[in-house]
Amino acid sequence: MDVFESRFFTAEDGLRLHARIYPAGNPPGAAQERLPVICLPGLSRNVRDFHPFARLVAQDPSAPRRVIALDYRGRGLSDYDPNPENYNIGIECRDVITVCTALGIARAIFVGTSRGGLILHVMAALKPDLIAGAVLNDIGPEIEADGLRDIRDYLSQRSSPATLDNAADGLARIHGAAFPALSRTDWLDMADALYAEKAGRLVTDYDPKLTDQLQAIDFSKPLATLWPQFELLAKVRLLVVRGDHSRLLSPETLARMATHASTVKTVTAPGQGHAPLLHHPDIFSSVRDFLAAFRD
């Protein structure tokens, strides 16, 4: 049976934040001494995105670790923010630090998918000692405008499918070309993670105002980069995962990240776009090896 605990925390401004905690499996003694893994989802996503991944890490037969997955404000079971301008990586980074402090976590291995990886760039400047190592899932210090425009356009088309099967069909229709490696089960899992029933309807599980800042981006101008922050982040071990068909993280940026420091390792998720499913067998083995390199 899947075992996790839902916990709620209070942000600095009083908003209620939600996290799932997956306890480490056997052997319990050694597991308690290992660094926990903290999972940070993408822009509009939530803790359910990491459910299959969290199970694999928490129940690893040789080196289980406690896993914490966070809902940012405005996503999942966390409160919506009455001020949409607070949906930014600076405030969300402080929220992550608040949850870590409440849980007594002084150091952790982070897994940041897309938006989560951007938050880690900020955290490297604000709270570097908290990061023992990190997996950056299809994200880096330089974002491709075409990929960000894709995300803006997709999130602007909110849908309300009749069933999860319909939702899975829709996801496969829109994203299937970029994710040929995914099975029907994968699409159903993705639909279950993305949609929630509210007022008798299936809707995407985030505050619609979350996309306001995306709509304001002027794509005629170069996007800001985070290379100085990446220099700080690259002081610890990093695994950078790029989706084979990603339009957000370019091969050129991935190569530059790989040559930046000896601490940076890279891997490509075959048959996946933005952002790869980390629990997929052809990529999880690389993540597992990365985690195994941490002896604590």
Side-chain angles (χ1 to χ4, degrees):
M1 188 174 78
D2 296 325
V3 177
F4 62 83
E5 175 190 3
S6 276
R7 290 275 301 275
F8 292 89
F9 306 86
T10 303
E12 292 177 354
D13 58 3
L15 256 67
R16 190 178 74 156
L17 305 171
H18 170 255
R20 273 187 183 181
I21 301 174
Y22 296 77
N26 293 322
Q32 298 307 314
E33 299 174 2
R34 295 190 185 100
L35 291 170
V37 172
I38 299 179
C39 298
L40 307 179
L43 172 65
S44 64
R45 310 305 286 260
N46 59 73
V47 296
R48 299 194 300 279
D49 259 1
F50 288 106
H51 182 62
F53 175 81
R55 286 187 306 170
L56 290 171
V57 173
Q59 300 300 323
D60 186 276
S62 60
R65 294 178 185 270
R66 181 169 57 136
V67 179
I68 299 98
L70 276 68
D71 280 335
Y72 311 131
R73 57 181 62 209
R75 290 80 150 183
L77 297 181
S78 289
D79 284 348
Y80 287 11
D81 197 310
N83 180 5
E85 292 184 3
N86 288 337
Y87 294 137
N88 64 71
I89 59 175
I91 288 178
E92 288 163 11
C93 180
R94 292 206 300 269
D95 288 344
V96 174
I97 294 170
T98 293
V99 172
C100 290
T101 300
L103 289 171
I105 295 173
R107 288 179 77 238
I109 304 166
F110 287 84
V111 177
T113 293
S114 195
R115 175 78 155 209
L118 296 179
I119 288 172
L120 290 176
H121 281 72
V122 174
M123 189 181 294
L126 292 181
K127 193 79 170 176
D129 292 344
L130 188 55
I131 307 172
V135 177
L136 299 180
N137 186 15
D138 212 57
I139 194 67
E142 193 164 329
I143 294 174
E144 297 303 303
D146 286 344
L148 188 58
R149 191 183 292 110
D150 288 346
I151 293 173
R152 180 201 63 184
D153 294 345
Y154 168 67
L155 293 182
S156 298
Q157 301 172 10
R158 290 180 61 87
S159 61
S160 180
T163 67
L164 280 178
D165 274 319
N166 295 144
D169 290 341
L171 291 170
R173 183 173 58 255
I174 295 169
H175 303 295
F179 286 89
L182 268 56
S183 67
R184 177 63 179 175
T185 298
D186 293 326
W187 291 115
L188 285 168
D189 286 345
M190 189 184 296
D192 187 54
L194 179 59
Y195 289 89
E197 185 174 339
K198 298 183 179 181
R201 300 170 61 236
L202 279 180
V203 294
T204 44
D205 201 9
Y206 60 86
D207 184 350
K209 295 180 180 178
L210 184 65
T211 62
D212 288 357
Q213 293 179 39
L214 285 178
Q215 301 298 331
I217 295 175
D218 184 355
F219 284 98
S220 68
K221 299 178 180 178
L223 298 177
T225 67
L226 294 172
W227 286 108
Q229 291 83 354
F230 180 75
E231 288 184 9
L232 299 174
L233 187 56
K235 291 180 179 180
V236 300
R237 290 184 215 156
L238 300 179
L239 175 65
V240 186
V241 179
R242 178 182 180 269
D244 192 18
H245 303 296
S246 174
R247 283 165 54 86
L248 196 77
L249 177 61
S250 71
E252 293 76 17
T253 297
L254 184 72
R256 182 177 172 185
M257 294 168 76
T259 59
H260 200 83
S262 61
T263 55
V264 182
K265 306 300 180 185
T266 65
V267 63
T268 297
Q272 297 202 63
H274 181 79
L277 305 183
L278 295 178
H279 62 275
H280 216 257
D282 53 14
I283 197 65
F284 181 74
S285 59
S286 297
V287 179
R288 186 175 185 269
D289 290 345
F290 175 77
L291 295 176
F294 293 84
R295 299 305 176 188
D296 54 357

